[in-house]
Amino acid sequence: MIALSNTTRVLRAHLVFAALVSAFSMHGQAEMLTLQDTVRLALENNFDIQISEKVVERAVQDVDIAQTDYLPEVRVSTVNRFSKQSNSGSILDGSDQPQSDTEDTELQVIQRFDSGATATLTTSLNRRETNSANNRTINPAYNTDASIRIVQPLLSGFGPQVNKAQRRLSKLQLERRELEFQATVLNIINDAERSYHQLVFAKEQLTVRQDAMALAEGLFEENKIKEETGIATSLDVLQAEVGLANAKDRLIRAEQSLLDAQDTLVNLIGIQPSDTIMNVENLDIGAPIRPDVESTYMKAVDHQPRYLTLLNVIEQRSVELRRAKQNRLPNLNLNGTFAVTSLNESLRSSYSALPDGESYNWNMNMSLNVPWGLREKKANLAKAELQLESEELRVAKEKALIMRNTRSIVRSVETALEAISIKELATELSEKEYEMEKAKFDAGLSTGRRVLEAQQRMNQTKVDELRAKIDLLDAYSNLREIDGSTLERYGINFDEE
């Protein structure tokens, strides 16, 4: 699983390459665009990558938000009141013009705990001053108190598995978003590799078509000369001319395929289009790799982001189920309060007297709340159980899908390897047949038509050989994506800082 990141830079899973290559640019003569260049540019400029990064960053904020519920909360309030009457309404007022000045201030610190308890520390000050003759004992009077109040759920809402659930879910959600980001990276790399392969194929196919065009032009010129000397007929010249026209048509189509492939790649890596043909690496299939189904499947199960995401969702559903099981119970709370108080003629003396604890009070009570039939709580539990069962089925389905895809990809590699051997042999044979047919034609023992047919077969076998090699490279790309080795290939890390 991807390690949870601590900074935005790491959370964006910045793609740390083993050796960074210079950026590709196109002006004047095209510079070499390597496969590593292509992958880097695709990851830097692709919109899906940028969107996925933002999703991960939002998940980081959700983790911080979930943590705030268990940080201390401070509340402060103060109220000042002043009143003055022009006339006394009662002898009890103690003054002909009753006057009072009152100030109430309260400070609270609230802390939640993993047990579900909430503790509230409170201190308050009440200062009252009056001109009443009936209140001469302490005037102004400072009334202070300090108290602690604890509310502890005993059934629903009790325990760490309920109260840690949201924090755990937010971290799992962050991990899920990082896995989805990894899946996006793997998908973009696969697209970049296949687009690059297609451009290489289109460029080498163009070379084959250019060679075929040159041969067709040469044959056409030879037939024209032979017609003038009486060795060839006008039919031979016409056949050569048709062959030249067909070669030109294939060349034009190859040029179009090359430009289309280049536009596809340019769009993927996010650079400006240009009519300058990119300079790409020659086709190289390297040493043959013959994967086996079992080891590839085991790697896929360990590294496939989609599968790991489903396991992550199962863990989320398990957390939700444990919380729902505890919360299915009635609400039973134990409430307790203890307070010390003081009344003095000054603020300092009033607070100094609080630790003596001579004036105090406490109370304790329990409250029970039972919704009728507990229907909502039971429904939430049943829903959580069904969600977990559904995710377990999705995991089983995904494992079967991974096995099917693994078998298909391994077969694709094996088929492409066999196809390359066959196509190479076919190319060698077609080249010899063409050379033999051309030699016969030069000796006057064959026709231009037979030479054209041999040439077309040779050109087509060369293109088929190129296609087989591209199929193998694409199969290798799919293989690396499914077993997770793509990240190692390009030195990409998703680690903590």
Side-chain angles (χ1 to χ4, degrees):
M1 307 291 276
I2 299 175
L4 292 176
S5 306
N6 291 327
T7 67
T8 300
R9 183 179 67 81
V10 179
L11 285 164
R12 291 178 62 197
H14 263 164
L15 311 168
V16 182
F17 282 78
L20 290 176
V21 293
S22 61
F24 174 77
S25 63
M26 292 199 311
H27 49 81
Q29 186 175 0
E31 299 178 7
M32 172 65 74
L33 176 68
T34 66
L35 180 57
Q36 192 177 42
D37 284 329
T38 301
V39 170
R40 180 178 57 82
L41 289 169
L43 293 176
E44 287 178 354
N45 300 326
N46 187 270
F47 287 118
D48 289 337
I49 291 287
Q50 297 173 26
I51 293 171
S52 187
E53 286 176 345
K54 298 301 180 184
V55 171
V56 172
E57 291 174 8
R58 290 201 302 271
V60 176
Q61 303 307 316
D62 289 337
V63 172
D64 291 340
I65 292 171
Q67 297 287 355
T68 58
D69 287 342
Y70 288 81
L71 295 176
E73 179 182 354
V74 179
R75 299 177 182 176
V76 180
S77 63
T78 181
V79 179
N80 290 286
R81 292 184 296 273
F82 179 83
S83 67
K84 181 179 180 181
Q85 299 179 25
S86 59
N87 297 301
S88 172
S90 170
I91 193 173
L92 297 177
D93 290 336
S95 174
D96 294 337
Q97 293 182 328
Q99 177 177 310
S100 67
D101 185 6
T102 305
E103 179 181 350
D104 293 322
T105 302
E106 182 178 79
L107 170 66
Q108 284 188 330
V109 179
I110 304 170
Q111 176 68 58
R112 294 183 60 193
F113 298 93
D114 290 339
S115 66
T118 301
T120 304
L121 296 173
T122 304
T123 180
S124 61
L125 165 68
N126 173 262
R127 184 189 67 83
R128 186 172 184 276
E129 184 176 1
T130 180
N131 62 353
S132 173
N134 298 328
N135 192 10
R136 295 296 186 184
T137 305
I138 301 179
N139 189 31
Y142 289 84
N143 191 354
T144 61
D145 67 72
S147 66
I148 180 170
R149 181 173 185 268
I150 297 177
V151 178
Q152 173 65 63
L154 300 179
L155 296 177
S156 179
F158 172 78
Q161 68 182 9
V162 174
N163 296 281
K164 286 185 175 182
Q166 190 55 47
R167 285 172 287 171
R168 177 59 180 156
L169 288 172
S170 65
K171 291 180 179 179
L172 287 171
Q173 186 69 5
L174 173 58
E175 184 178 330
R176 177 180 177 181
R177 297 309 182 196
E178 290 179 325
L179 286 168
E180 292 171 350
F181 178 76
Q182 182 177 341
T184 302
V185 169
L186 288 172
N187 184 255
I188 295 300
I189 292 176
N190 185 280
D191 288 345
E193 288 184 337
R194 293 170 69 91
S195 296
Y196 190 87
H197 297 159
Q198 187 59 40
L199 180 57
V200 173
F201 167 76
K203 189 172 183 180
E204 297 202 14
Q205 177 184 237
L206 180 62
T207 300
V208 172
R209 298 307 186 193
Q210 287 171 339
D211 292 342
M213 180 73 177
L215 290 174
E217 287 177 340
L219 183 61
F220 176 62
E221 293 299 329
E222 285 185 43
N223 275 281
K224 285 173 63 178
I225 294 173
K226 288 184 177 183
E227 182 189 21
E228 293 173 358
T229 58
I231 298 176
T233 66
S234 59
L235 180 60
D236 293 325
V237 175
L238 180 59
Q239 289 174 340
E241 187 176 6
V242 171
L244 177 59
N246 287 332
K248 184 180 293 186
D249 177 68
R250 296 188 186 96
L251 178 60
I252 292 172
R253 294 179 183 276
E255 290 173 344
Q256 179 185 350
S257 297
L258 176 59
L259 292 174
D260 288 344
Q262 179 166 295
D263 285 347
T264 299
L265 185 60
V266 162
N267 181 68
L268 180 66
I269 64 180
I271 63 177
Q272 291 298 320
S274 171
D275 292 333
T276 304
I277 301 301
M278 290 180 174
N279 187 16
V280 293
E281 296 175 308
N282 293 329
L283 192 63
D284 182 15
I285 60 175
I289 300 174
R290 294 185 177 273
D292 66 274
V293 173
E294 187 61 29
S295 64
T296 302
Y297 171 74
M298 295 305 297
K299 290 179 182 178
V301 169
D302 290 338
H303 298 98
Q304 256 295 307
R306 176 175 169 79
Y307 178 71
L308 297 178
T309 298
L310 291 176
L311 294 182
N312 173 280
V313 174
I314 280 187
E315 191 168 355
Q316 290 186 51
R317 297 294 179 252
S318 298
V319 171
E320 292 170 351
L321 178 59
R322 290 192 294 269
R323 180 173 62 182
K325 284 182 177 179
Q326 185 64 37
N327 285 341
R328 79 188 189 281
L329 302 172
N331 298 315
L332 176 63
N333 292 339
L334 174 64
N335 310 295
T337 303
F338 176 80
V340 291
T341 62
S342 173
L343 178 63
N344 275 282
E345 67 280 357
S346 69
L347 174 64
R348 183 170 185 175
S349 59
S350 182
Y351 269 107
S352 297
L354 285 178
D356 296 337
E358 294 181 356
S359 298
Y360 66 90
N361 63 79
W362 62 268
N363 69 77
M364 183 176 294
N365 65 82
M366 297 183 71
S367 60
L368 177 64
N369 179 14
V370 184
W372 190 261
L374 301 174
R375 295 182 62 179
E376 181 180 357
K377 293 175 176 289
K378 291 177 181 178
N380 287 333
L381 176 59
K383 179 181 177 180
E385 290 173 341
L386 289 172
Q387 287 177 329
L388 178 58
E389 291 171 2
S390 298
E391 297 304 331
E392 289 172 343
L393 291 173
R394 287 192 179 93
V395 167
K397 178 182 177 181
E398 185 64 21
K399 288 187 74 172
L401 182 61
I402 290 175
M403 173 56 79
R404 189 195 72 181
N405 291 341
T406 299
R407 291 169 63 86
S408 176
I409 291 171
V410 170
R411 282 196 299 267
S412 296
V413 173
E414 294 172 345
T415 301
L417 286 171
E418 294 299 325
I420 289 174
S421 299
I422 295 171
K423 300 303 181 184
E424 287 176 340
L425 186 61
T427 299
E428 181 182 358
L429 175 61
S430 65
E431 287 175 343
K432 291 181 178 180
E433 288 179 341
Y434 171 74
E435 292 171 358
M436 183 180 296
E437 204 63 47
K438 184 63 169 60
K440 289 181 180 180
F441 175 76
D442 292 340
L445 301 176
S446 182
T447 65
R449 180 176 181 178
R450 293 177 65 87
V451 175
L452 282 172
E453 291 173 348
Q455 178 192 330
Q456 290 172 3
R457 286 196 299 271
M458 178 183 67
N459 293 334
Q460 188 58 47
T461 55
K462 288 181 179 180
V463 172
D464 291 344
E465 181 183 344
L466 288 174
R467 173 48 64 190
K469 291 179 179 179
I470 293 299
D471 289 342
L472 177 61
L473 291 175
D474 287 346
Y476 282 157
S477 294
N478 293 335
L479 179 66
R480 289 191 295 269
E481 181 181 14
I482 197 171
D483 69 11
S485 59
T486 295
L487 302 179
E488 182 180 355
R489 175 182 173 87
Y490 293 101
I492 300 173
N493 298 314
F494 292 83
D495 299 329
E496 273 187 303
E497 187 177 48

